[in-house]
Amino acid sequence: MKKLAMMLMVAMTLIGCSKNSAGLSIDGQSQNVMFGDAVLGGRLLVDNIATKDVQGHARGIVTLTSQYTGDQHIQYRFYWYDNDGLEVNTNQAAWKQKIVRGFETLSISEVSINPTGKQFRVQIREANK
């Protein structure tokens, strides 16, 4: 019983220390938006999610609109998948930064470096100032 209690305490400690690095996660194929941060999710509206062909490579485009009066410093990163849902870019790109001004609409986009990348997911999080 003591072992079980100790394992539960360790598990709860680890869960409490873990941090979800994505405030929003957007799936380009299903066009689902998953909110991991209620504040960021309430301040940013996802207007459009699109994939376009650019010379044989897929370009993922997400249009965001600020629902907040102040500036929002965000970071985002795209993940690319083939038609079978397997990740094609094994080396993750660095987080890119943007400032979304009050009530501004802007687009974030990226072109897959791998021509087999046809679907995308993008994660958006609040940047540390």
Side-chain angles (χ1 to χ4, degrees):
M1 188 67 167
K2 286 184 180 182
K3 278 186 177 180
L4 179 61
M6 183 59 94
M7 288 188 331
L8 285 173
M9 283 180 43
V10 170
M12 294 302 285
T13 302
L14 291 175
I15 290 170
C17 293
S18 66
K19 183 179 179 186
N20 180 1
S21 64
L24 300 174
S25 184
I26 301 165
D27 185 321
Q29 181 185 18
S30 66
Q31 298 200 353
N32 285 332
V33 180
M34 291 142 287
F35 298 94
D37 180 339
V39 174
L40 186 62
R43 291 181 175 183
L44 283 179
L45 175 67
V46 178
D47 287 325
N48 192 31
I49 304 166
T51 305
K52 295 185 179 182
D53 183 65
V54 178
Q55 299 176 353
H57 293 259
R59 178 186 192 107
I61 305 165
V62 177
T63 305
L64 304 168
T65 298
S66 172
Q67 302 293 303
Y68 181 65
T69 57
D71 292 348
Q72 296 179 82
H73 298 258
I74 63 167
Q75 294 179 326
Y76 64 95
R77 178 164 51 191
F78 281 79
Y79 299 84
W80 288 95
Y81 303 90
D82 64 14
N83 285 329
D84 295 324
L86 300 173
E87 192 166 1
V88 296
N89 296 343
T90 55
N91 295 331
Q92 291 183 352
W95 288 91
K96 296 177 181 149
Q97 298 193 33
K98 281 254 192 211
I99 299 174
V100 186
R101 306 286 179 199
F103 300 108
E104 176 182 42
T105 297
L106 60 79
S107 293
I108 57 174
S109 69
E110 182 177 280
V111 176
S112 175
I113 58 171
N114 189 323
T116 61
K118 301 298 181 190
Q119 304 166 19
F120 72 91
R121 177 174 57 93
V122 63
Q123 288 187 328
I124 302 169
R125 67 182 184 188
E126 194 170 7
N128 296 329
K129 296 180 192 175

